[in-house]
Amino acid sequence: MTADLEITRLRESGGKGFEKVFAFLRERLLAGSLRPGDRLIPERDLAAQLGVSRPILREALRALTVLGVVEIRDRVGTIVRRPDLSVLNDFFTFAFAQQSEVIDDVMQARIAIECQAVRLAAERATVSDFEKLQLALTRIAETIDDADAGSAADFKFHRAVVTAGKSETLIVLHDSMSGILMRSHRTRRELLQVFDTMKTYLIEDHRRIFDAIVGRDPEHAEKVMREHFAIGDDFRRRAAIGKTQSAS
């Protein structure tokens, strides 16, 4: 299908070699003229059309294999693949590993994603989704005194909410931040050592979210989810104040 591909337009024709290769694939994929399973034209022809050297083209294609956009096969050529979206999780984790000041911004994105997801879950959740949420809810109560297992249970519940929303885009975005979100859940569980009353909050608040989804009430579900995040933020704020006062 792609043996006769020609370039009709390149917005970044004057850019660097990598940018030309990336722009070519990006535009072709968006236009639908390249699809998973298609084979690119031979390297020498593609390099000539793009106006880049073959070594630069090869380096760019190797970089794209890491992202899962293409696959280079011996004696076959370069094949377009459906990207493995799980690499986004690795990207976020590495990108923010040494940028603690960005974590709060990621958490705001999480709130936006989960508040929309819980609305959709209240409309679209199936019986199977209810069962998964119920199991996760039970696990939260069972692991209330175990920081590691408890944080995993918290994450699983919220992940089940997003999945129940049936929005592939929200699911991908949530997945891409899963590494950072797991750390957030773990940090929250550590607050139980400071605020014993938080145990009841964690169990009951997740139950309220579950009940709102089962009740098929999108507006109430979003309201409960936002309150859930606000209460959690308040606990973290109080813990931070306590640490400051102890240090002084």
Side-chain angles (χ1 to χ4, degrees):
M1 172 182 174
T2 59
D4 60 347
L5 275 179
E6 294 182 358
I7 296 175
T8 57
R9 175 172 57 88
L10 262 182
R11 296 176 184 171
E12 301 173 312
S13 57
K16 298 178 181 179
F18 270 45
E19 293 173 345
K20 289 183 179 181
V21 179
F22 291 170
F24 165 70
L25 286 173
R26 181 176 64 245
E27 292 186 7
R28 291 295 181 178
L29 288 167
L30 288 172
S33 56
L34 270 180
R35 299 179 183 279
D38 289 346
R39 182 177 63 181
L40 298 183
I41 57 178
E43 284 186 3
R44 64 176 179 276
D45 298 328
L46 184 56
Q49 289 188 27
L50 290 172
V52 301
S53 68
R54 289 184 69 179
I56 287 293
L57 175 64
R58 287 182 188 133
E59 287 185 35
L61 291 177
R62 279 196 289 268
L64 289 168
T65 63
V66 175
L67 296 176
V69 177
V70 300
E71 177 183 357
I72 301 174
R73 300 179 185 173
D74 292 337
R75 301 179 183 178
V76 175
T78 303
I79 308 298
V80 178
R81 293 182 53 193
R82 188 178 302 279
D84 180 2
L85 297 175
S86 66
V87 300
L88 287 175
N89 182 17
D90 294 331
F91 172 79
F92 270 86
T93 301
F94 281 117
F96 297 140
Q98 298 181 354
Q99 302 182 56
S100 58
E101 70 278 3
V102 186
I103 300 300
D104 286 341
D105 191 54
V106 175
M107 291 303 105
Q108 290 303 312
R110 175 202 174 186
I111 292 173
I113 291 170
E114 291 196 22
C115 283
Q116 177 59 20
V118 80
R119 291 184 65 94
L120 295 175
E123 298 173 347
R124 303 174 178 177
T126 64
V127 173
S128 176
D129 292 318
F130 293 151
E131 292 174 348
K132 291 176 182 177
L133 286 165
Q134 181 66 68
L135 287 173
L137 190 62
T138 300
R139 186 61 179 159
I140 288 175
E142 292 174 345
T143 61
I144 199 65
D145 293 314
D146 186 330
D148 291 327
S151 59
D154 288 348
F155 174 78
K156 190 170 184 179
F157 178 88
H158 286 269
R159 180 71 177 82
V161 170
V162 176
T163 302
K166 312 301 182 192
S167 167
E168 289 300 321
T169 300
L170 292 182
I171 291 171
V172 167
L173 290 173
H174 197 264
D175 278 349
S176 71
M177 299 186 296
S178 61
I180 297 173
L181 298 185
M182 279 295 296
R183 288 170 56 193
S184 172
H185 285 292
R186 182 64 174 76
T187 300
R188 174 175 293 190
R189 278 296 178 128
E190 291 174 357
L191 293 177
L192 296 181
Q193 300 175 11
V194 182
F195 304 105
D196 191 64
T197 56
M198 194 175 174
K199 294 180 181 181
T200 302
Y201 146 72
L202 275 176
I203 297 172
E204 292 184 352
D205 230 39
H206 285 96
R207 166 64 67 178
R208 291 175 62 217
I209 295 170
F210 173 76
D211 289 343
I213 294 173
V214 174
R216 300 293 190 188
D217 189 337
E219 290 191 11
H220 181 57
E222 180 183 353
K223 178 176 180 292
V224 172
M225 183 67 85
R226 289 191 181 279
E227 290 173 350
H228 174 71
F229 285 124
I231 295 173
D233 287 340
D234 183 59
F235 276 117
R236 284 189 287 275
R237 179 185 60 80
R238 289 162 54 190
I241 292 175
K243 286 183 180 180
T244 301
Q245 291 175 343
S246 298
S248 60

